[in-house]
Amino acid sequence: MLWRVNDTHTLEQFWESRYAESSHIWSGRVNKTFADVVSGLPPGRALDLGCGEGGDVIWLALRGWQVTGVDVSSTALDRAAEAAARSGVTDGRIQWLIHDLASWTGDDSYDLVSASFFHSPVEIPRAQILSRAAGHVTPGGHLLIVSHADFPPWATGPATDEHRFLTPTEELDQLDLDPVEWDVRIAETRTRETTGPDGQAAVLDDGVVLLRRR
């Protein structure tokens, strides 16, 4: 099943309504593809775009990262903060910020800027947001984008016929970053095993783009 989108909803209204549907939307666990890639990076300062209920942020903080999580939904961030407290992250390793990333700029630099499944049924200037976020990566730091490569097998509805997710190569083309300044470390599709909403086993495809700033 796919979400029904009211065309009059703002981005904030849509996601607040979406989070109001249930006590939690996401699993609370880090995405395996994200964890596999980041596990090879030394901890530092990280920025997670569209962090939702905070699964990736908490995972980073528990592994020594100083993390800023940004999301448009205050409900999601309230849940993320509660989850972080339950996980034992109590030493100020996480900062939660409520912002619409279409207008947020920020002024800090990070060793890792990440965006996991940064998709929205309400249209956002996604390529612009990600390209601008790349400017926050410190020299020697990384930009990581993990995206859906296809719909999950349990998804139904017209959107599955109308929408096509970007390939890693197309993601790089949209970012349009200076190749003199950036090294492409990963640009590929990876598979991972997961469990669907009704407990069914499934294999999903993730697009992975990892760049290192020189």
Side-chain angles (χ1 to χ4, degrees):
M1 180 177 179
L2 296 177
W3 302 319
R4 294 181 179 178
V5 180
N6 184 330
D7 290 339
T8 65
H9 278 176
T10 66
L11 184 69
E12 180 183 5
Q13 288 170 337
F14 171 81
W15 284 108
E16 283 296 295
S17 175
R18 173 75 174 117
Y19 283 110
E21 294 174 5
S22 175
S23 60
H24 66 276
I25 299 298
W26 316 118
S27 70
R29 298 184 299 272
V30 66
N31 172 264
K32 182 180 183 302
T33 301
F34 176 93
D36 287 347
V37 174
V38 177
S39 291
L41 304 179
R45 300 187 71 232
L47 170 67
D48 191 41
L49 306 174
C51 64
E53 292 167 332
D56 291 352
V57 171
I58 294 168
W59 182 89
L60 286 168
L62 289 172
R63 282 152 184 81
W65 291 81
Q66 190 78 30
V67 196
T68 297
V70 185
D71 201 276
V72 72
S73 169
S74 59
T75 298
L77 293 184
D78 286 344
R79 294 177 184 176
E82 292 169 1
R86 289 195 302 269
S87 74
V89 181
T90 57
D91 59 356
R93 285 195 171 275
I94 298 176
Q95 178 184 29
W96 305 106
L97 299 179
I98 302 172
H99 282 290
D100 182 340
L101 287 165
S103 57
W104 182 74
T105 55
D107 56 5
D108 289 326
S109 296
Y110 302 89
D111 303 292
L112 172 67
V113 172
S114 62
S116 294
F117 307 111
F118 190 55
H119 310 285
S120 176
V122 176
E123 186 176 357
I124 58 174
R126 182 175 179 277
Q128 176 185 330
I129 291 169
L130 294 175
S131 295
R132 186 170 63 233
H136 291 281
V137 178
T138 190
H142 293 81
L143 173 67
L144 172 61
I145 303 169
V146 179
S147 304
H148 295 299
D150 201 353
F151 289 100
W154 54 82
T156 60
T160 58
D161 297 321
E162 298 168 0
H163 181 79
R164 187 179 67 81
F165 294 103
L166 297 177
T167 67
T169 298
E170 290 169 336
E171 191 85 78
L172 287 171
D173 289 343
Q174 279 208 355
L175 285 171
D176 194 27
L177 299 178
D178 186 351
V180 174
E181 189 176 355
W182 293 87
D183 290 322
V184 179
R185 293 299 179 91
I186 301 173
E188 63 188 30
T189 300
R190 296 187 177 186
T191 60
R192 60 182 167 93
E193 296 180 355
T194 190
T195 302
D198 296 323
Q200 67 272 48
V203 177
L204 302 184
D205 292 331
D206 295 336
V208 184
V209 171
L210 178 70
L211 300 105
R212 180 181 181 274
R213 192 169 196 172
R214 295 177 180 171

